[in-house]
């Protein structure tokens, strides 16, 4: 099986008045079709930078990103997110406040001018998958955090993207809901065989949801493996420290 996403020797530095920060140093890994990969690591280790490079929001200095074998980013080249067949779920859900849930969910299909019957068919599919019956005429402000989260996931799934990027999608929910949602989301994506790239600072979330985890530290990958491998055989003190507190 060929990888869906190939990250090769990716490096990026930020240049500010206070100097240069190397955010990513020669990062390489693959994401296979249908796989759920979580990137975990302490604040400042480079997770968001990596996510934004994959999304086509940030350019890279060196290396390349390929999706289905097609180069989408390299030095001096960046194909925009709308041409990458990628969708994102953000930590603040980023729903349009002036649109009802229904219009938020359908937005991606409308801009792609998908025909009305197909829009309705796909809407019914995601409504049933995410238990959104009865909520479609509500505005985001009228929905609970968990319901907004479901609408955001429905909006991401409805365009049938090659990859869904999850940017700390649970951190704005209270603890109980976070635990419920992570199980529900992991089951849903597994059932749909969705390819997922998930960024989180919370190792227990990565453990509960992912098939494979990458542990990052100061712009490098310390370990890339199955959660139980990283837990039982940590390659560095940072991995051991991060995962050691989990009960497994
Ligand atoms: P994480 O998502 O793991 O918290 P980031 O990718 O946001 O890490 O940041 C990686 C490093 O790059 C950090 O040292 C951070 O301070 C720095 N950084 C991130 N964004 C910028 C920016 N826009 N300008 C300058 N430095 C930045």
């Amino acid at each position: 099986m060929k990888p869906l996403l190939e990250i090769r020797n990716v490096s990026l530095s930020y240049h500010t008045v206070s100097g240069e920060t190397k955010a990513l140093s020669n990062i390489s890994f693959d994401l296979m079709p249908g796989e759920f990969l979580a990137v975990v690591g302490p604040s400042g280790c480079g997770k968001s930078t990596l996510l934004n490079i994959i999304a086509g929001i940030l350019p890279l200095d060196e290396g390349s990103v390929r999706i289905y074998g097609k180069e989408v980013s390299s030095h001096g080249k960046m194909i925009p997110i709308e041409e990458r067949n990628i969708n994102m779920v953000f930590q603040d859900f980023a729903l349009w406040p002036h649109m009802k849930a229904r219009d938020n969910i359908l937005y991606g299909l409308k801009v792609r001018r998908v025909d009305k019957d197909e829009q309705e068919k796909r809407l019914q599919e995601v409504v049933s998958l995410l238990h959104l019956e009865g909520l479609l005429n509500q505005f985001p402000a009228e929905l609970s955090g968990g319901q907004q989260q479901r609408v955001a996931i429905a909006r991401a799934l409805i365009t049938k993207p090659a990859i869904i990027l999850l940017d700390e999608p649970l951190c704005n929910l209270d603890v109980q809901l976070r635990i419920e949602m992570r199980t529900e989301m992991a089951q849903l994506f597994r059932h749909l065989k969705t390819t997922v790239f998930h960024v989180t600072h919370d190792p227990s979330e990565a453990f509960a949801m992912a098939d494979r985890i990458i542990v990052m530290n100061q712009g490098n990958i310390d370990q890339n493996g199955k959660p139980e491998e990283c837990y039982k055989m940590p390659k560095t003190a940072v991995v051991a420290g991060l995962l050691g507190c989990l009960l497994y």
Side-chain angles (χ1 to χ4, degrees):
M1 205 193 307
K2 288 196 177 143
L4 204 167
L5 174 71
E6 293 166 80
I7 305 292
R8 288 291 171 274
N9 308 108
V10 166
S11 297
L12 177 70
S13 295
Y14 292 103
H15 300 271
T16 60
V17 279
S18 47
E20 180 184 333
T21 306
K22 187 111 184 157
L24 296 176
S25 305
N26 204 22
I27 297 279
S28 296
F29 65 89
D30 289 341
L31 176 59
M32 303 306 285
E35 191 176 30
F36 192 129
L37 172 67
V39 174
V40 66
S43 180
C45 72
K47 304 181 295 293
S48 308
T49 302
L50 180 57
L51 183 102
N52 287 331
I53 284 176
I54 295 171
I57 296 167
L58 269 180
L60 45 73
D61 293 338
E62 287 170 55
S64 66
V65 176
R66 289 176 181 270
I67 297 176
Y68 283 130
K70 181 183 168 207
E71 190 175 89
V72 292
S73 284
S74 58
H75 180 69
K77 171 180 173 183
M78 187 171 80
I79 289 179
I81 186 163
E82 59 273 18
E83 291 172 32
R84 291 186 180 215
N85 197 10
I86 278 179
N87 248 336
M88 256 171 109
V89 177
F90 300 90
Q91 46 179 288
D92 60 359
F93 317 130
L95 297 173
W96 303 103
H98 60 289
M99 285 185 196
K100 291 178 176 175
R102 173 192 176 83
D103 298 317
N104 264 288
I105 297 170
L106 285 172
Y107 183 79
L109 297 184
K110 285 188 173 155
V111 295
R112 287 171 178 79
R113 299 183 190 283
V114 171
D115 82 47
K116 287 261 160 57
D117 289 348
E118 180 66 16
Q119 286 188 23
E120 205 48 45
K121 184 173 148 248
R122 291 209 211 166
L123 180 66
Q124 291 318 318
E125 280 169 14
V126 293
V127 162
S128 138
L129 279 169
L130 286 142
H131 314 296
L132 292 168
E133 296 85 357
L135 300 177
L136 291 181
N137 288 322
Q138 314 266 31
F139 288 97
E142 298 165 340
L143 300 171
S144 70
Q147 289 168 338
Q148 289 184 42
Q149 174 68 285
R150 286 201 178 84
V151 171
I153 297 168
R155 182 179 61 175
L157 280 174
I158 202 165
T159 59
K160 303 194 173 169
I163 308 172
I164 289 208
L165 305 180
L166 303 177
D167 181 8
E168 302 268 9
L170 302 173
C171 73
N172 280 329
L173 303 177
D174 64 50
V175 178
Q176 185 57 35
L177 190 57
R178 206 181 307 158
I179 291 170
E180 283 168 28
M181 280 303 286
R182 71 189 189 193
T183 310
E184 192 179 311
M185 279 171 78
Q187 283 172 352
L188 174 68
F189 290 135
R190 213 150 272 146
H191 166 71
L192 297 174
K193 299 188 172 55
T194 311
T195 309
V196 181
F197 181 85
H198 178 193
V199 159
T200 178
H201 69 281
D202 179 353
S204 64
E205 190 178 300
F207 245 67
M209 297 176 80
D211 302 316
R212 188 157 56 89
I213 61 177
I214 283 180
V215 181
M216 286 187 67
N217 173 32
Q218 296 188 339
N220 294 288
I221 293 180
D222 270 18
Q223 194 153 357
N224 174 357
K226 290 192 183 308
E228 64 270 25
E229 263 168 44
C230 299
Y231 180 77
K232 289 180 181 155
M233 288 172 287
K235 285 189 177 165
T236 68
V238 169
V239 180
L242 200 68
L243 305 183
C245 55
L246 298 173
L247 289 173
Y248 187 57

